[in-house]
Amino acid sequence: MKRFGNRCFLTGSTNVSFEHVISFATGHGGHIVANLLPMDKALNLSRQDKNFGEWFNTLEATIEMHDAFDEAFEYLAELNGLTVDLFWEYVYYCDAYRRTEEEIKADPRPSVEIFKEWKEAGGVI
C-alpha cells in the first residue's frame, strides 16, 4: 500500500482492497507482495477471476491508467525476479496450467519458482 500511496494503482481512489494479479482460481499466486496491488474495490469486483491483462483491455482506460498499469507490471516483474515479458508469460502460464489443492499440497513452492523451472525446461505458452 505504501508503494502506491495507499491508493488504487490505476485510479488513485482511496476506496481500495488488495487485488490478486494472479487469481486464486488458478491455484497460483497467493497472498504475497509480488502478487498484490491496491485497487479500487469496484474495479476489483469487476475483474472476478479473469486474466489480469485481458480484463484491463476491456476497460475504457485513460493514457494515465495505461501508464500506471505498465508501471505496476514493471514493479511486480521485478519483485518476482522476471523481466516484464517473462512476467506476462508467467501470468498466462498460471491461467493455462491451473493447479488443484492436491497439486499445491504436493508441491507448495511459490508458483514463480515452478514457472521458472518450467521455462528452463523449454516450456512455451
Side-chain angles (χ1 to χ4, degrees):
M1 290 292 288
K2 185 177 178 182
R3 164 74 167 77
F4 295 95
N6 296 319
R7 296 178 174 275
C8 172
F9 83 99
L10 280 176
T11 67
S13 164
T14 57
N15 185 27
V16 297
S17 60
F18 281 112
E19 171 61 28
H20 294 84
V21 173
I22 297 169
S23 172
F24 268 175
T26 66
H28 293 283
H31 292 301
I32 60 171
V33 172
N35 188 43
L36 296 171
L37 291 172
M39 190 160 77
D40 179 83
K41 288 181 180 180
L43 283 176
N44 194 333
L45 287 173
S46 76
R47 179 184 164 217
Q48 299 171 345
D49 69 347
K50 298 175 185 105
N51 173 284
F52 201 73
E54 292 175 15
W55 165 81
F56 180 76
N57 288 333
T58 68
L59 299 178
E60 292 186 24
T62 64
I63 290 172
E64 292 81 13
M65 288 172 75
H66 279 277
D67 290 345
F69 186 88
D70 291 344
E71 181 183 322
F73 261 64
E74 289 173 13
Y75 168 70
L76 292 176
E78 182 179 324
L79 289 180
N80 281 284
L82 301 169
T83 65
V84 171
D85 288 341
L86 274 178
F87 185 70
W88 271 113
E89 191 170 344
Y90 172 54
V91 169
Y92 278 90
Y93 163 87
C94 291
D95 280 337
Y97 298 98
R98 293 175 176 239
R99 298 192 314 161
T100 65
E101 285 185 44
E102 292 79 25
E103 290 170 321
I104 295 166
K105 287 177 184 174
D107 188 353
R109 291 179 297 157
S111 296
V112 71
E113 287 181 23
I114 298 167
F115 168 74
K116 288 175 182 178
E117 183 178 281
W118 174 82
K119 257 324 255 184
E120 287 174 11
V124 177
I125 295 289

